[in-house]
């Protein structure tokens, strides 16, 4: 399975971006997916996850109400609104082997290459 993330870029504070992540095979449509991010000098952290059918979502507290995760079969999206400078990071998409997955890095077996999001103040 290969994951291809896209949509990152430079945006001003309070702006919006939409990230996409496509899984290379249809097996991705039966698996939970998630977004993580890693800022310079910090550990990778959970952002959001979505179940195999999109019926269940989980968000980190610091993005709740601003970010929305969604999916269409084996493609996942992250709509990011009201962006803040502290959202600046490389964003990674991930695919679980299970239908439902949570916040842990070890819940996910496959990782994309990352897309950089930079929010200027």
């Amino acid at each position: 399975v290969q994951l291809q993330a896209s949509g990152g870029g430079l945006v001003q504070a309070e702006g919006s971006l939409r990230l996409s992540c496509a899984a290379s095979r249809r097996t991705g449509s039966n698996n939970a997916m998630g977004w993580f991010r890693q800022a310079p000098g910090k550990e990778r952290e959970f952002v959001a996850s979505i179940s195999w059918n999109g019926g269940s979502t989980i968000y980190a507290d610091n993005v709740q109400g601003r970010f929305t995760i969604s999916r269409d079969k084996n493609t996942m999206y992250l709509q990011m609104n009201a962006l803040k400078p502290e959202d600046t990071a490389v964003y990674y998409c991930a695919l679980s082997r299970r239908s439902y997955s949570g916040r842990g890095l070890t819940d996910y077996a496959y990782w994309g290459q990352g897309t950089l999001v930079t929010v200027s103040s």
Side-chain angles (χ1 to χ4, degrees):
V1 176
Q2 291 185 337
L3 300 174
Q4 182 68 42
S6 61
L10 174 64
V11 63
Q12 290 187 333
E14 295 303 315
S16 298
L17 279 176
R18 188 191 195 207
L19 305 183
S20 299
C21 176
S24 60
R25 302 191 313 190
R26 281 193 57 83
T27 52
S29 65
N30 297 318
N31 303 74
M33 300 182 77
W35 288 100
F36 290 75
R37 67 186 183 186
Q38 187 166 18
K42 295 187 176 182
E43 294 184 350
R44 192 170 299 189
E45 66 173 4
F46 171 79
V47 176
S49 67
I50 189 166
S51 62
W52 71 280
N53 62 353
S56 177
T57 58
I58 303 173
Y59 294 93
D61 290 344
N62 55 3
V63 306
Q64 179 79 48
R66 299 188 297 123
F67 291 10
T68 303
I69 190 171
S70 62
R71 69 184 296 167
D72 178 15
K73 296 182 180 179
N74 60 338
T75 300
M76 176 178 63
Y77 306 95
L78 186 68
Q79 177 66 43
M80 305 185 294
N81 298 328
L83 283 161
K84 304 175 181 180
E86 51 264 44
D87 294 319
T88 294
V90 176
Y91 283 69
Y92 296 91
C93 60
L95 180 70
S96 172
R97 288 196 177 98
R98 302 182 299 180
S99 297
Y100 295 86
S101 285
R103 305 168 184 264
L105 275 72
T106 56
D107 288 351
Y108 299 87
Y110 306 98
W111 294 83
Q113 85 288 0
T115 184
L116 177 62
V117 172
T118 304
V119 184
S120 62
S121 57

